[in-house]
Amino acid sequence: MSDWRTRGKTSLSAAVLAAILALPILGFQLSETGTGLTVLARLHTVAWVFVAVGLGSFALTSARAIKWPSIALPAQTSDRLGWALAIFALALPFLPFADRSLIDKATLILIYVMLGWGLNVVVGWAGLLDLGYAGFYAIGAYSYALLAQAFDISFWLCLPLAGLFSALFGLALGFPVLRLRGDYLAIVTMGFGEIIRIVLLNWQSLTGGPNGISNIARPTLFGLTFTARALDGGKTFAEALGIPYSANQRIFFLYFLILALALLTNFLALRLRRLPLGRAWEALREDEIACRSLGINPTNIKLSAFAIGAMCAGFAGSFFATRQGFITPESFSFIESAVIVAIVVLGGMGSQVGIVFAAIILVGLPEWFRDLQNYRMLAFGLTLLVVMIFKPSGLVSRRSPTIVLKDPA
Amino acid sequence: MTLLTVDNLGITFGGLVALDSLSFTVPKGQITAIIGPNGAGKTTLFNIITGFYQAQTGTITLHRDAGPLVLNGKPDYWIARHAGIARTFQTSRLFPRMTALENLLVAQHNRLMKASFFSLAGLAGLAGFKKAERDAIDKARFWLEQVGLTGSANVPVGSLAYGLQRRLEIARSMCADPALLCLDEPAAGLNPKESLELVDLLALIRSRFGATQLLVEHDMSVVMGLSDKVVVLEYGRKIAEGAPQQIRHDPAVIRAYLGEPPDEDIPVDIAQDLDKC
């Protein structure tokens, strides 16, 4: 790997292999000519693949040959970085370059940060690979939408109810899968996630099926709405403050709302991690048999992780529903679960700060590359590959102890 | 005074009789060693006592001050929690990415969980929980001192030397305040110096904390130097039981370890070796 000759050989063989594969896949095109079809050779695409893979492989092997300085963050820096990020997030809407689309993207990223933090409890700490997390996200969203429509309850009352409902589902679905570990658990949770989506899709009378639920109530701030004109007897935010109405007010309000929810999730999760329950989660991930021998009932510990993770997804789901104003089962497909798991894994399995960066990379970048249209997912895949090659254990893989003996010597 | 009675215990795996109508008692406050050739059923016995396997016949009874407690049919974590039986494993089972202090705090999970009122009081940061946590840390510090690992309190235990990990595992079991400590080959993989330190540690646990210990061990210097009572197993059956001195000269034990002597007595050099240990 070290000298350029072997690297050149590796790259050449990779390029030849790619070209062979590209020849039948990309090398020919059917085109309509009058009544028949003719086969057009597109050998230049094969040449492009050959050159691109060759150069790419050479660049990659060269980059790996270089001894990169390790950027392992000490625990303190990681903490400080977290605070800096939180302050930046609070200040973001007031910065001069913050326009509507930026705040909208930041809101989306924060939803995934919150989901990542919730799933981190299950996957990163308790070590239970859950591939059906979007199911709980869906339950939160539908709970809010249905409760708000059927009983006309405000967002602030629905939010805890949706969280509670999701947590209950987390318990109910967690219970039968507790004996499973690793791959088997992943497959079964994936199945549960799909079952939830398919039930939502087919329970036409309750959920509206594929048409989803529309006109979901928007959130209010102490009864103040963020609309241009107040609804029957109420007051709008702009009227109350005596400022002119602007559509940005609602966007900014939603941003602060999800920021508050995300920070609350983070606070709860970090606090729990330092309690006996959190240490038991991590101990369970490390060695379940040792946990049993110390009198820890693994069922309770796993269920608590499942329930708390599901609750966070429920909160995020309510927010998603109220932000979109319209939900369908399409929004909660398996790819959502996969993205959230990818965020947790990329972040470093257990690192709260790592998850923020991972969410920015995995959700933010594709948003900015929206102009690339179909090639957007290529950027997504490329990011995953680059991180896996250069930081195989995640962006921030250092584990900070939950408790420290002050004067050990 | 008996702490544990094992009566007529039996278990088979498929056609293999791992334990066959095994009965013995474990005296309170003493060290009882279980020895026997490989495959004699020692670890199986441990796994049954600690609830990891369920016996097919027989009963295991723990004699507490509050009255006898039958352990059959109880799950492993229940036995650890309510009967106070702690164990270590043949290869150490610490939580490798967690620090030594965290390992010892996990051992006190149930007490702390109650004190934190299932995390609610802990989330609110109530004084009662904070005090319980301080006590738990003090206890962990005490046991770290006993095994000489205070300096490594904040180090992930996976990075500690093997001998230290074994000591830490014993410390972790002791943090749970066990009535009975089951040690599965604690000296396996230790060098002679570490073995001696281990003997001192176990003797200290007996003399100072009065903890009853059940010991599976191959290292005869550890067994003979330490135990008050020895139970010898072969093919799942008890072939001898008694004080170490008796066991050493028991013909059945010698046969189990050395095989049937051809015609004459044991060769002189082997007999001498046996006397030495």
Side-chain angles (χ1 to χ4, degrees), chain B:
Chain B
M1 183 71 181
T2 302
L3 180 74
L4 189 81
T5 311
V6 172
D7 184 35
N8 195 29
L9 203 65
I11 187 170
T12 57
F13 297 112
L16 178 81
V17 181
L19 287 179
D20 185 15
S21 51
L22 176 70
S23 304
F24 66 93
T25 59
V26 178
K28 194 171 187 170
Q30 297 188 0
I31 298 180
T32 304
I34 315 273
I35 63 169
N38 283 329
K42 306 181 297 287
T43 299
T44 305
L45 173 67
F46 258 41
N47 282 336
I48 294 177
I49 292 176
T50 50
F52 282 79
Y53 297 163
Q54 293 298 334
Q56 284 152 351
T57 62
T59 50
I60 303 170
T61 318
L62 186 77
H63 304 281
R64 304 174 304 173
D65 297 336
L69 180 69
V70 176
L71 302 182
N72 295 57
K74 298 286 195 290
D76 40 22
Y77 59 85
W78 191 95
I79 288 179
R81 182 176 180 181
H82 296 283
I85 295 181
R87 75 171 290 183
T88 64
F89 296 85
Q90 239 172 52
T91 49
S92 79
R93 281 187 170 273
L94 291 165
F95 307 121
R97 286 175 65 194
M98 302 174 83
T99 66
L101 178 65
E102 286 176 313
N103 267 273
L104 299 195
L105 286 182
V106 171
Q108 305 176 56
H109 172 82
N110 286 317
R111 198 178 320 129
L112 283 172
M113 203 65 186
K114 221 179 251 174
S116 74
F117 195 69
F118 308 102
S119 302
L120 291 178
L123 276 179
L126 296 188
F129 170 68
K130 286 196 168 151
K131 186 180 176 303
E133 193 176 56
R134 270 199 305 277
D135 291 348
I137 294 172
D138 285 344
K139 178 173 237 163
R141 177 195 287 274
F142 173 80
W143 278 106
L144 283 172
E145 277 163 14
Q146 295 304 314
V147 297
L149 275 169
T150 322
S152 310
N154 300 326
V155 174
V157 297
S159 64
L160 292 178
Y162 184 71
L164 299 181
Q165 292 194 20
R166 308 249 32 184
R167 293 170 75 81
L168 188 65
E169 203 185 5
I170 295 172
R172 186 178 69 179
S173 314
M174 286 309 292
C175 274
D177 289 328
L180 175 66
L181 179 61
C182 298
L183 301 157
D184 197 350
E185 297 195 24
L190 299 188
N191 64 36
K193 181 173 164 281
E194 288 171 333
S195 283
L196 286 178
E197 287 170 356
L198 177 81
V199 169
D200 289 345
L201 176 64
L202 297 184
L204 177 86
I205 288 174
R206 170 177 55 187
S207 62
R208 189 159 163 203
F209 305 98
T212 312
Q213 292 167 56
L214 194 60
L215 181 72
V216 162
E217 187 50 67
H218 279 299
D219 187 335
M220 284 304 144
S221 66
V222 172
V223 170
M224 293 300 167
L226 203 54
S227 42
D228 304 291
K229 176 180 179 176
V230 179
V231 176
V232 189
L233 301 186
E234 189 192 18
Y235 298 119
R237 280 201 199 87
K238 183 176 78 180
I239 56 170
E241 177 178 6
Q245 298 308 321
Q246 283 170 271
I247 295 299
R248 187 177 297 175
H249 301 292
D250 192 302
V253 177
I254 294 170
R255 203 181 308 122
Y257 270 88
L258 298 175
E260 198 78 48
D263 285 314
E264 68 280 18
D265 291 338
I266 311 169
V268 181
D269 49 339
I270 294 179
Q272 278 170 349
D273 276 359
L274 276 173
D275 279 338
K276 254 185 262 164
C277 62

